[in-house]
């Protein structure tokens, strides 16, 4: 609503108005913004769009959730789209029908990957001439809204420190609300209701909590904000401007009186910033009978409703072939995953080997110990002694395929198994000099030594 009023000239000259609200409404609904307020604002928005009498295209973006609040939000959107003969693209239904939600649920659930949205925008641009006017049934009565600045609204705004902040879309004058300064509303706005205000706080490592207090003769509203984005927040309770209306920073961390986006009423909030940076986007309304909606919806019925809209208003065929994208990505991953994983698998294998070696006694990795241990275990039985040459040969061959033995000190090597195996290795190296005969005498000497 603010954008329609603040950009009236640009919008009147536009060939097409494209709008998406369902994810924002759902997010507010999740954080307990009353549905009657969402309903009122959305229906007024639709009337304002219909009164433009030009092509209007709603996009229902997809979200990977499965709860009644999201179904209620989308179905309510579709009911109003049908009522006012708007054109629409239902990406949520397309994703549901093709089982795409989980696959494209990236770390940013609320925004689809940019190539998909870029192609959707391209397809819309190429089909501009096919999207007709909204078939205005009548001129709808809407309340009188005003899009105002802080300079317009407050008598003493110049008491606040001013700065300028920019991003890729906005350049905004910001006013630092802090300390004990109270901003007084101008008399000319008496009896207007403050619908929404904008904040663009700086970020900090603790989060961007800041809060402010609105007071008039009858009302005191305390509201916290949690964001470092340029955001427009609505007031839930009606705040009617009178001659005693003020706005000031909640320096004492008084408890919030109403919830906000990303903040529940039950949350125990505290300022992490020593100010609130007010932006120049404010929406007022002169309440009348058109600002109150009497329609009430049964949530269970609305959640399970199948809204049928004439296909001539449905431009969902402009959605890119996301099913094909999914197939391409899956095949690419099937080919590339083994390639990408191979270095990690090799590293895991090496780490497992290192871990295994660390768990072993270093002496057990030496051939001498292995041979000596086999001699000790087999010489006591006739059949063991008879098969010992084959066992020793097998151990020697298998040892060649093992990694290099772990280092041992000389003291660690002074055990019977190692000395026995070492004697056998030396005897084998000198077999042509009678090494095996020498080995028999060495065995008797070791037996005598280790018996002591």
């Amino acid at each position: 609503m603010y954008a329609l009023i603040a950009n009236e000239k640009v919008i009147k000259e536009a060939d097409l108005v494209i709008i998406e609200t369902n994810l924002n409404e759902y997010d507010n609904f999740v954080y307990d913004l009353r549905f009657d307020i969402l309903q009122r604002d959305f229906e007024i928005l639709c009337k304002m769009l219909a009164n433009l009498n030009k092509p209007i295209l709603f996009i229902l973006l997809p979200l990977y959730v499965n709860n009644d609040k999201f179904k209620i939000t989308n179905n309510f959107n579709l009911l109003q789209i049908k009522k006012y003969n708007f054109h629409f693209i239902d990406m949520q239904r397309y994703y549901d029908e093709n089982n795409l939600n989980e696959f494209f649920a990236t770390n940013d659930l609320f925004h689809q990957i940019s190539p998909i949205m870029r192609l959707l925008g391209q397809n819309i641009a190429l089909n501009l001439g096919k999207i007709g006017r909204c078939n205005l049934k009548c001129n709808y009565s809407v309340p009188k809204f005003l899009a105002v600045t802080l300079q317009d609204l407050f008598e003493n705004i110049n008491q606040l420190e001013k700065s300028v902040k920019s991003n890729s879309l906005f350049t905004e004058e910001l006013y630092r609300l802090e300390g004990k300064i109270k901003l007084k509303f101008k008399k000319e706005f008496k009896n207007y209701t403050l619908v929404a205000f904008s904040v663009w706080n700086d970020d900090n490592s603790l989060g961007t909590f800041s809060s402010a207090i609105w007071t008039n003769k009858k009302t005191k509203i305390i509201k916290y904000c949690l964001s470092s984005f340029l955001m427009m927040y609505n007031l839930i309770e009606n705040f009617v401007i009178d001659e005693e209306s003020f706005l000031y920073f909640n320096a004492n961390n008084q408890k919030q009186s109403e919830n906000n986006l990303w903040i529940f009423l039950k949350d125990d909030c505290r300022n992490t910033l020593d100010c609130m940076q007010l932006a120049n986007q404010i929406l007022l309304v002169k309440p009348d009978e058109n600002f109150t909606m009497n329609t009430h919806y049964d949530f269970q019925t609305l959640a399970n409703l199948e809204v049928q809209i004439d296909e001539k208003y449905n431009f969902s065929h402009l959605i890119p072939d996301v099913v094909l994208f999914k197939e391409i990505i899956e095949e690419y991953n099937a080919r590339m995953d083994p390639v990408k994983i191979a270095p990690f698998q090799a590293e895991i294998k090496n780490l497992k080997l290192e871990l295994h070696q660390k768990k072993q006694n270093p002496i057990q990795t030496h051939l001498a110990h292995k041979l000596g241990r086999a001699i000790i275990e087999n010489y006591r039985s006739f059949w063991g002694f008879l098969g010992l040459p084959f066992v020793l040969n097998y151990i020697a061959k298998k040892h060649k395929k093992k990694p290099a033995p772990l280092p041992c000190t000389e003291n660690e090597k002074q055990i019977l198994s190692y000395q026995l195996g070492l004697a056998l290795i030396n005897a084998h190296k000198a077999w042509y000099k009678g090494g095996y005969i020498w080995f028999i005498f060495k065995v008797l000497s070791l037996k005598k030594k280790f018996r002591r």
Side-chain angles (χ1 to χ4, degrees), residues 14 23 39 65 74 79 95 127 251 262 376 381 429:
L23 299 192
Q39 171 197 339
V65 296
N74 279 1
L79 283 174
Y95 275 50
N127 286 272
W262 304 333
I376 293 169
S381 71
K429 289 178 180 178

Side-chain angles (χ1 to χ4, degrees), residues 413-425:
K413 294 177 182 179
Q414 301 305 314
I415 59 174
L416 176 60
S417 57
Y418 186 90
Q419 294 298 321
L420 197 57
L422 183 62
L424 178 62
I425 293 171

